[in-house]
Amino acid sequence: MRRVALISLLAASLTGCSTISSTWTSWFGSEKDKPAALETLSGPASGRIIWSARGDNIGFPLSIATPGDRFVVASSDGSVRALAAADGRELWRGDVGAKLSAGIGSDGRFAAVVNRDNELVVLDNGKVAWKKALPTPVVAAPLVAGERVFTLTLDRQVLAFDVLDGRKIWELKRPGEPLTLAKAGVLLAYKDTLVVGQGPRLAGIDPVKGQLRWEASVATPRGTNEVERLADLVGPAVRQGEVICARAFQSSVGCVNAERGSALWNRVVGGTNGIGADAQVVVAGDASDRLSAWKLANGDLAWSADQFQRRKLSEPVVMAKQVLIGDFEGQVHLIDRDTGKTRSRLATDGSPVVTIAVQGETALVATKSGGLFAITAE
């Protein structure tokens, strides 16, 4: 209960800071807070929108699932859809009957979300199969893998359920941090290991028994009080082969070797969003929306780019040697992966880009007003 209360207190304090900043800007019109103007681009288009779809608004930390040949998406009103990645054709649709607070995880057949009553809801090809009340709030998308559904709560408990009937298989409670962040954390699979963000560390867990296999730090918390030392890992993390990279809130970006369970490198950089990567680079924005790319192999800086400062960027994704990232005006910027230079941009519906997911050679962009835009890079 103390941790949950502290989470609420932190959220309130951060909201208060935002209000003060907005008031200051409206009173004094500070130029330094204005978003960077869009560049004038003259080169050929390096991507195009191949299909689009509409849904309800998105008011929760949506993660788009990418099993097989499809995207599985959810809206705030509780609707869930599976769409063919190639053409946007609807494969199935369901409704959980309540507004959502977290989602979505899917293996293609089963999909899992969490509603605002803090119930884990699992659908089987669009039909609600079962619901299960969770002990503490959840904002991270559940993970569906190996005939199990895994959830990560705000106080960093990990719970495993049978995907067919909702039977709880195990739960893992570990000594936690004094404060945890009210933001979606890290939950993904590596071979036969469940990888979870636990404070500033990645933990490898046996998915069958719920036992810890290894632990590796992404950040070293620093500061004089609990708020300053808050360095929870923020989703989404990214996996390239046996390397998993993640962001520690306002602290650093780092990578670990999931085969050995050991840290590889980290770089001190502020920021609050997840990161993107391919086999060559790891890309992340900082608190002012300056982008940086580091070489995946050793963490050496590849480039930095400041043309999008204060444009309230989404997390980046890397596809076809380009970095795709969205902003508060619904613009999707396509950036050269090797130089950081903007190649082209695509407009969506004018509302902020919430998240971007990649399936093969297609990226799906979701906007706050419910727009879905499938992009192929060229």
Side-chain angles (χ1 to χ4, degrees):
M1 289 299 293
R2 177 173 178 264
R3 291 196 189 101
V4 173
L6 286 171
I7 291 165
S8 300
L9 178 61
L10 177 61
S13 67
L14 290 176
T15 302
C17 291
S18 175
T19 302
I20 291 170
S21 176
S22 299
T23 302
W24 180 277
T25 303
S26 65
W27 285 351
F28 299 98
S30 173
E31 287 294 319
K32 70 177 183 179
D33 292 325
K34 292 178 64 175
L38 293 175
E39 303 168 88
T40 299
L41 302 175
S42 57
S46 59
R48 59 188 176 92
I49 295 174
I50 56 175
W51 57 262
S52 62
R54 295 292 306 174
D56 187 47
N57 72 298
I58 299 171
F60 67 102
L62 171 68
S63 295
I64 300 172
T66 58
D69 59 353
R70 63 195 62 187
F71 295 106
V72 185
V73 299
S75 300
S76 295
D77 64 356
S79 62
V80 180
R81 291 178 291 166
L83 305 173
D87 56 15
R89 176 172 44 92
E90 190 172 286
L91 303 175
W92 54 256
R93 174 190 290 262
D95 196 308
V96 305
K99 292 184 180 297
L100 302 184
S101 63
I104 184 169
S106 177
D107 63 0
R109 172 184 170 183
F110 294 97
V113 295
V114 179
N115 65 27
R116 292 189 185 176
D117 293 327
N118 209 45
E119 294 176 316
L120 173 64
V121 185
V122 170
L123 301 93
D124 183 349
N125 282 319
K127 297 180 179 180
V128 174
W130 51 268
K131 299 180 181 181
K132 185 75 66 173
L134 298 172
T136 52
V138 171
V139 295
L143 174 68
V144 183
E147 299 185 348
R148 287 174 169 77
V149 182
F150 303 97
T151 62
L152 176 66
T153 66
L154 278 180
D155 59 359
R156 301 311 182 238
Q157 292 184 59
V158 187
L159 299 99
F161 301 90
D162 188 290
V163 75
L164 294 175
D165 57 17
R167 175 178 53 89
K168 186 169 75 171
I169 300 172
W170 54 259
E171 64 179 87
L172 177 63
K173 296 181 180 179
R174 305 183 59 208
E177 307 296 323
L179 284 179
T180 55
L181 187 67
K183 192 173 176 71
V186 172
L187 184 65
L188 74 161
Y190 171 74
K191 294 184 178 179
D192 64 345
T193 298
L194 178 68
V195 181
V196 179
Q198 300 268 299
R201 300 170 299 277
L202 283 174
I205 298 169
D206 182 334
V208 177
K209 300 179 180 179
Q211 298 173 344
L212 183 69
R213 286 177 170 169
W214 54 260
E215 197 172 60
S217 292
V218 173
T220 302
R222 296 179 176 87
T224 59
N225 56 55
E226 293 176 349
V227 174
E228 291 178 353
R229 289 192 294 270
L230 182 62
D232 269 3
L233 300 188
V234 176
V238 289
R239 174 190 167 189
Q240 289 292 322
E242 62 186 21
V243 177
I244 296 176
C245 304
R247 147 156 282 141
F249 177 76
Q250 290 288 32
S251 177
S252 66
V253 171
C255 297
V256 306
N257 183 297
E259 194 68 35
R260 301 193 300 266
S262 59
L264 295 175
W265 56 264
N266 67 35
R267 296 294 178 264
V268 176
V269 58
T272 61
N273 288 338
I275 63 176
D278 68 0
Q280 301 299 316
V281 298
V282 178
V283 183
D286 66 12
S288 66
D289 291 322
R290 178 182 290 105
L291 292 178
S292 296
W294 299 271
K295 295 179 181 179
L296 178 72
N298 55 22
D300 288 349
L301 183 67
W303 51 261
S304 61
D306 60 5
Q307 62 265 42
F308 308 112
Q309 289 193 74
R310 297 170 297 281
R311 293 197 63 85
K312 300 178 182 177
L313 298 178
S314 70
E315 77 274 5
V317 298
V318 186
M319 181 179 72
K321 297 185 179 181
Q322 295 191 85
V323 178
L324 280 65
I325 196 162
D327 71 15
F328 75 107
E329 292 181 316
Q331 298 285 344
V332 179
H333 307 277
L334 292 87
I335 306 159
D336 189 285
R337 181 202 66 185
D338 298 323
T339 66
K341 303 297 184 183
T342 308
R343 296 182 62 184
S344 62
R345 77 173 65 94
L346 297 168
T348 58
D349 59 12
S351 67
V353 172
V354 174
T355 191
I356 308 176
V358 174
Q359 173 58 268
E361 297 180 353
T362 304
L364 186 63
V365 176
T367 68
K368 189 173 180 60
S369 64
L372 297 171
F373 299 86
I375 294 173
T376 183
E378 300 172 345

